[in-house]
Amino acid sequence: MNHVGIGYDVHRLVEGRKLYLGGVEIPHPRGLDGHSDADVLMHAICDAVFGAVGEGDIGHFFPNTDPRWRGARSKVFLQEAARQVTFRDGKIVNIDATIIAQEPKLAPYIASMKENIAVALGINVRRVGIKATTNELLGFIGRSEGIAAMAVASVERTG
Ligand code: MG
């Protein structure tokens, strides 16, 4: 039986931080603020995978009050999500995600993001879909105050 999960995340864009999306360091004057590397795409995917196995969210597994995760690379979170799937005799079928960012242009980095996410989850890169869209200059994303991501995950489970 296939189970699906959904994930959403948003982080503020601030000065003095590096911008990480899908594990790729993207040249940009500002980066996402957060306790970890604030990789909003990986966080949304993480929650989608946790959701597909009925687990708590990323904050449950990796509280932002825990100094262990300060500055952590978010691939660690994805590795744990994949471990939770395996632990339940599940198998990730596919991931699909959309980044919503007014800037910068992300097309040149999508292939690398897919690769990083596939490696972290231990799945074939053909099972990972990543898209990016702007917010048509509307709202906080349109004003480049932050970047959001949404994701779905499908997990095959025996029970
Ligand atoms: Mg987050």
Side-chain angles (χ1 to χ4, degrees):
M1 189 181 286
N2 274 17
H3 294 222
V4 294
I6 187 172
Y8 171 82
D9 196 23
V10 61
H11 283 263
R12 290 190 324 129
L13 269 172
V14 295
E15 310 254 331
R17 291 270 300 182
K18 287 180 174 173
L19 176 60
Y20 290 103
L21 287 171
V24 181
E25 187 185 327
I26 296 170
H28 195 57
R30 295 185 296 158
L32 293 173
D33 197 19
H35 186 67
S36 66
D37 64 7
D39 190 323
V40 69
L41 174 61
M42 284 191 167
H43 293 185
I45 292 171
C46 211
D47 269 358
V49 174
F50 282 139
V53 291
E55 263 302 338
D57 64 14
I58 190 169
H60 168 82
F61 283 91
F62 305 102
N64 63 10
T65 48
D66 189 333
R68 271 184 302 171
W69 313 121
R70 187 169 185 79
R73 295 302 301 266
S74 295
K75 69 175 182 184
V76 173
F77 307 156
L78 281 181
Q79 287 163 351
E80 175 60 23
R83 206 183 69 85
Q84 291 292 329
V85 172
T86 307
F87 182 64
R88 288 165 179 74
D89 297 322
K91 192 172 177 295
I92 296 171
V93 178
N94 77 305
I95 301 292
D96 190 26
T98 299
I99 307 163
I100 309 152
Q102 196 62 44
E103 57 175 33
K105 283 274 165 261
L106 297 175
Y109 310 106
I110 298 286
S112 301
M113 292 181 197
K114 285 184 179 178
E115 190 64 40
N116 290 342
I117 287 156
V119 167
L121 291 173
I123 59 177
N124 192 294
V125 71
R126 286 174 302 177
R127 294 174 180 267
V128 180
I130 307 290
K131 293 94 64 199
T133 185
T134 72
N135 218 37
E136 293 290 338
L137 297 170
L138 292 167
F140 71 89
I141 295 173
R143 292 190 296 271
S144 299
E145 292 168 11
I147 292 177
M150 53 180 78
V152 290
S154 174
V155 171
E156 191 181 317
R157 297 176 73 183
T158 50

mmCIF file of all heavy atoms in Angstrom, residues 8-11 19-22 32 37-46 74 99-100 147-150:
data_model
loop_
_atom_site.group_PDB
_atom_site.id
_atom_site.type_symbol
_atom_site.label_atom_id
_atom_site.label_comp_id
_atom_site.label_asym_id
_atom_site.label_seq_id
_atom_site.Cartn_x
_atom_site.Cartn_y
_atom_site.Cartn_z
ATOM 1 N N TYR A 8 5.623 21.322 4.512
ATOM 2 C CA TYR A 8 5.719 22.747 4.160
ATOM 3 C C TYR A 8 6.690 23.408 5.119
ATOM 4 O O TYR A 8 6.726 23.065 6.308
ATOM 5 C CB TYR A 8 4.346 23.429 4.272
ATOM 6 C CG TYR A 8 4.414 24.934 4.136
ATOM 7 C CD1 TYR A 8 4.465 25.529 2.874
ATOM 8 C CD2 TYR A 8 4.455 25.760 5.257
ATOM 9 C CE1 TYR A 8 4.547 26.910 2.737
ATOM 10 C CE2 TYR A 8 4.542 27.147 5.119
ATOM 11 C CZ TYR A 8 4.586 27.714 3.860
ATOM 12 O OH TYR A 8 4.673 29.076 3.731
ATOM 13 N N ASP A 9 7.471 24.332 4.613
ATOM 14 C CA ASP A 9 8.358 25.086 5.504
ATOM 15 C C ASP A 9 8.636 26.456 4.902
ATOM 16 O O ASP A 9 8.513 26.643 3.688
ATOM 17 C CB ASP A 9 9.677 24.329 5.716
ATOM 18 C CG ASP A 9 10.450 24.857 6.916
ATOM 19 O OD1 ASP A 9 9.837 25.469 7.814
ATOM 20 O OD2 ASP A 9 11.682 24.666 6.958
ATOM 21 N N VAL A 10 8.994 27.366 5.763
ATOM 22 C CA VAL A 10 9.370 28.715 5.327
ATOM 23 C C VAL A 10 10.451 29.247 6.266
ATOM 24 O O VAL A 10 10.450 28.921 7.459
ATOM 25 C CB VAL A 10 8.127 29.649 5.295
ATOM 26 C CG1 VAL A 10 7.491 29.797 6.658
ATOM 27 C CG2 VAL A 10 8.463 31.009 4.704
ATOM 28 N N HIS A 11 11.397 29.969 5.708
ATOM 29 C CA HIS A 11 12.427 30.629 6.515
ATOM 30 C C HIS A 11 12.636 32.048 6.001
ATOM 31 O O HIS A 11 12.443 32.320 4.816
ATOM 32 C CB HIS A 11 13.754 29.863 6.448
ATOM 33 C CG HIS A 11 13.785 28.640 7.296
ATOM 34 N ND1 HIS A 11 14.331 28.610 8.559
ATOM 35 C CD2 HIS A 11 13.323 27.391 7.062
ATOM 36 C CE1 HIS A 11 14.205 27.387 9.069
ATOM 37 N NE2 HIS A 11 13.591 26.624 8.183
ATOM 38 N N LEU A 19 23.131 30.881 1.779
ATOM 39 C CA LEU A 19 21.863 30.339 1.275
ATOM 40 C C LEU A 19 22.061 28.885 0.847
ATOM 41 O O LEU A 19 22.803 28.604 -0.096
ATOM 42 C CB LEU A 19 21.359 31.175 0.087
ATOM 43 C CG LEU A 19 20.080 30.666 -0.591
ATOM 44 C CD1 LEU A 19 18.913 30.608 0.380
ATOM 45 C CD2 LEU A 19 19.728 31.534 -1.796
ATOM 46 N N TYR A 20 21.403 27.982 1.566
ATOM 47 C CA TYR A 20 21.422 26.565 1.205
ATOM 48 C C TYR A 20 20.032 26.135 0.782
ATOM 49 O O TYR A 20 19.062 26.326 1.512
ATOM 50 C CB TYR A 20 21.845 25.694 2.398
ATOM 51 C CG TYR A 20 23.297 25.826 2.793
ATOM 52 C CD1 TYR A 20 23.654 26.578 3.899
ATOM 53 C CD2 TYR A 20 24.290 25.199 2.050
ATOM 54 C CE1 TYR A 20 24.984 26.710 4.267
ATOM 55 C CE2 TYR A 20 25.625 25.320 2.410
ATOM 56 C CZ TYR A 20 25.970 26.076 3.526
ATOM 57 O OH TYR A 20 27.275 26.208 3.884
ATOM 58 N N LEU A 21 19.933 25.548 -0.390
ATOM 59 C CA LEU A 21 18.672 24.967 -0.849
ATOM 60 C C LEU A 21 18.975 23.600 -1.452
ATOM 61 O O LEU A 21 19.817 23.499 -2.359
ATOM 62 C CB LEU A 21 17.999 25.863 -1.890
ATOM 63 C CG LEU A 21 17.364 27.173 -1.377
ATOM 64 C CD1 LEU A 21 16.938 28.056 -2.541
ATOM 65 C CD2 LEU A 21 16.188 26.878 -0.457
ATOM 66 N N GLY A 22 18.325 22.582 -0.933
ATOM 67 C CA GLY A 22 18.591 21.236 -1.434
ATOM 68 C C GLY A 22 20.052 20.843 -1.288
ATOM 69 O O GLY A 22 20.583 20.099 -2.120
ATOM 70 N N LEU A 32 19.097 32.043 4.366
ATOM 71 C CA LEU A 32 17.927 31.751 5.196
ATOM 72 C C LEU A 32 18.332 31.651 6.657
ATOM 73 O O LEU A 32 19.346 31.036 7.001
ATOM 74 C CB LEU A 32 17.256 30.465 4.724
ATOM 75 C CG LEU A 32 16.620 30.571 3.333
ATOM 76 C CD1 LEU A 32 16.130 29.214 2.856
ATOM 77 C CD2 LEU A 32 15.484 31.591 3.319
ATOM 78 N N ASP A 37 21.114 24.794 9.108
ATOM 79 C CA ASP A 37 21.484 25.559 7.908
ATOM 80 C C ASP A 37 20.249 26.174 7.229
ATOM 81 O O ASP A 37 20.371 26.864 6.222
ATOM 82 C CB ASP A 37 22.281 24.684 6.926
ATOM 83 C CG ASP A 37 21.473 23.509 6.384
ATOM 84 O OD1 ASP A 37 20.256 23.420 6.658
ATOM 85 O OD2 ASP A 37 22.063 22.674 5.680
ATOM 86 N N ALA A 38 19.064 25.901 7.795
ATOM 87 C CA ALA A 38 17.799 26.510 7.340
ATOM 88 C C ALA A 38 17.455 26.156 5.895
ATOM 89 O O ALA A 38 16.845 26.941 5.178
ATOM 90 C CB ALA A 38 17.818 28.025 7.540
ATOM 91 N N ASP A 39 17.841 24.958 5.490
ATOM 92 C CA ASP A 39 17.565 24.492 4.121
ATOM 93 C C ASP A 39 16.076 24.147 4.013
ATOM 94 O O ASP A 39 15.630 23.032 4.303
ATOM 95 C CB ASP A 39 18.438 23.265 3.813
ATOM 96 C CG ASP A 39 18.395 22.873 2.342
ATOM 97 O OD1 ASP A 39 17.324 22.986 1.718
ATOM 98 O OD2 ASP A 39 19.442 22.433 1.838
ATOM 99 N N VAL A 40 15.305 25.138 3.617
ATOM 100 C CA VAL A 40 13.845 25.056 3.639
ATOM 101 C C VAL A 40 13.312 23.913 2.764
ATOM 102 O O VAL A 40 12.305 23.276 3.101
ATOM 103 C CB VAL A 40 13.266 26.436 3.241
ATOM 104 C CG1 VAL A 40 13.530 26.755 1.779
ATOM 105 C CG2 VAL A 40 11.812 26.565 3.567
ATOM 106 N N LEU A 41 14.012 23.635 1.670
ATOM 107 C CA LEU A 41 13.579 22.552 0.776
ATOM 108 C C LEU A 41 13.745 21.196 1.461
ATOM 109 O O LEU A 41 12.817 20.374 1.480
ATOM 110 C CB LEU A 41 14.386 22.587 -0.527
ATOM 111 C CG LEU A 41 14.149 21.432 -1.485
ATOM 112 C CD1 LEU A 41 12.694 21.376 -1.946
ATOM 113 C CD2 LEU A 41 15.088 21.527 -2.687
ATOM 114 N N MET A 42 14.925 20.968 2.033
ATOM 115 C CA MET A 42 15.148 19.690 2.719
ATOM 116 C C MET A 42 14.195 19.534 3.903
ATOM 117 O O MET A 42 13.742 18.432 4.196
ATOM 118 C CB MET A 42 16.605 19.564 3.147
ATOM 119 C CG MET A 42 17.551 19.235 2.003
ATOM 120 S SD MET A 42 19.200 18.797 2.599
ATOM 121 C CE MET A 42 19.931 18.090 1.097
ATOM 122 N N HIS A 43 13.887 20.637 4.587
ATOM 123 C CA HIS A 43 12.972 20.555 5.735
ATOM 124 C C HIS A 43 11.562 20.151 5.297
ATOM 125 O O HIS A 43 10.919 19.312 5.950
ATOM 126 C CB HIS A 43 12.916 21.899 6.475
ATOM 127 C CG HIS A 43 14.210 22.269 7.146
ATOM 128 N ND1 HIS A 43 14.351 23.372 7.947
ATOM 129 C CD2 HIS A 43 15.431 21.664 7.116
ATOM 130 C CE1 HIS A 43 15.603 23.442 8.390
ATOM 131 N NE2 HIS A 43 16.274 22.422 7.886
ATOM 132 N N ALA A 44 11.098 20.730 4.204
ATOM 133 C CA ALA A 44 9.758 20.381 3.713
ATOM 134 C C ALA A 44 9.703 18.909 3.291
ATOM 135 O O ALA A 44 8.730 18.205 3.583
ATOM 136 C CB ALA A 44 9.377 21.289 2.544
ATOM 137 N N ILE A 45 10.759 18.457 2.633
ATOM 138 C CA ILE A 45 10.811 17.048 2.196
ATOM 139 C C ILE A 45 10.853 16.126 3.412
ATOM 140 O O ILE A 45 10.184 15.088 3.461
ATOM 141 C CB ILE A 45 12.017 16.808 1.266
ATOM 142 C CG1 ILE A 45 11.800 17.556 -0.056
ATOM 143 C CG2 ILE A 45 12.236 15.315 1.029
ATOM 144 C CD1 ILE A 45 13.002 17.570 -0.975
ATOM 145 N N CYS A 46 11.617 16.536 4.398
ATOM 146 C CA CYS A 46 11.732 15.763 5.636
ATOM 147 C C CYS A 46 10.345 15.570 6.277
ATOM 148 O O CYS A 46 9.971 14.444 6.647
ATOM 149 C CB CYS A 46 12.627 16.555 6.572
ATOM 150 S SG CYS A 46 13.560 15.558 7.665
ATOM 151 N N SER A 74 21.266 20.017 6.774
ATOM 152 C CA SER A 74 19.944 19.386 6.813
ATOM 153 C C SER A 74 19.901 18.001 6.185
ATOM 154 O O SER A 74 18.918 17.285 6.349
ATOM 155 C CB SER A 74 18.922 20.303 6.149
ATOM 156 O OG SER A 74 18.793 21.484 6.909
ATOM 157 N N ILE A 99 9.923 24.791 -4.673
ATOM 158 C CA ILE A 99 10.488 25.919 -3.920
ATOM 159 C C ILE A 99 9.781 27.177 -4.412
ATOM 160 O O ILE A 99 9.612 27.356 -5.622
ATOM 161 C CB ILE A 99 12.003 26.076 -4.200
ATOM 162 C CG1 ILE A 99 12.744 24.771 -3.960
ATOM 163 C CG2 ILE A 99 12.600 27.206 -3.371
ATOM 164 C CD1 ILE A 99 14.136 24.745 -4.594
ATOM 165 N N ILE A 100 9.378 28.030 -3.479
ATOM 166 C CA ILE A 100 8.737 29.292 -3.857
ATOM 167 C C ILE A 100 9.660 30.413 -3.411
ATOM 168 O O ILE A 100 9.805 30.667 -2.203
ATOM 169 C CB ILE A 100 7.343 29.427 -3.215
ATOM 170 C CG1 ILE A 100 6.533 28.151 -3.495
ATOM 171 C CG2 ILE A 100 6.609 30.645 -3.771
ATOM 172 C CD1 ILE A 100 5.507 27.848 -2.448
ATOM 173 N N ILE A 147 11.783 32.487 1.895
ATOM 174 C CA ILE A 147 11.623 31.448 0.870
ATOM 175 C C ILE A 147 10.826 30.299 1.496
ATOM 176 O O ILE A 147 11.064 29.939 2.657
ATOM 177 C CB ILE A 147 12.993 30.950 0.362
ATOM 178 C CG1 ILE A 147 13.704 32.070 -0.424
ATOM 179 C CG2 ILE A 147 12.844 29.702 -0.511
ATOM 180 C CD1 ILE A 147 15.096 31.700 -0.913
ATOM 181 N N ALA A 148 9.892 29.755 0.749
ATOM 182 C CA ALA A 148 9.077 28.635 1.229
ATOM 183 C C ALA A 148 9.293 27.423 0.328
ATOM 184 O O ALA A 148 9.785 27.538 -0.801
ATOM 185 C CB ALA A 148 7.601 29.022 1.239
ATOM 186 N N ALA A 149 8.921 26.263 0.854
ATOM 187 C CA ALA A 149 8.965 25.042 0.049
ATOM 188 C C ALA A 149 7.828 24.136 0.480
ATOM 189 O O ALA A 149 7.447 24.116 1.657
ATOM 190 C CB ALA A 149 10.305 24.327 0.215
ATOM 191 N N MET A 150 7.261 23.431 -0.480
ATOM 192 C CA MET A 150 6.271 22.410 -0.163
ATOM 193 C C MET A 150 6.687 21.111 -0.834
ATOM 194 O O MET A 150 7.360 21.121 -1.869
ATOM 195 C CB MET A 150 4.867 22.840 -0.593
ATOM 196 C CG MET A 150 4.731 23.263 -2.016
ATOM 197 S SD MET A 150 3.028 23.739 -2.389
ATOM 198 C CE MET A 150 2.996 25.359 -1.680
#
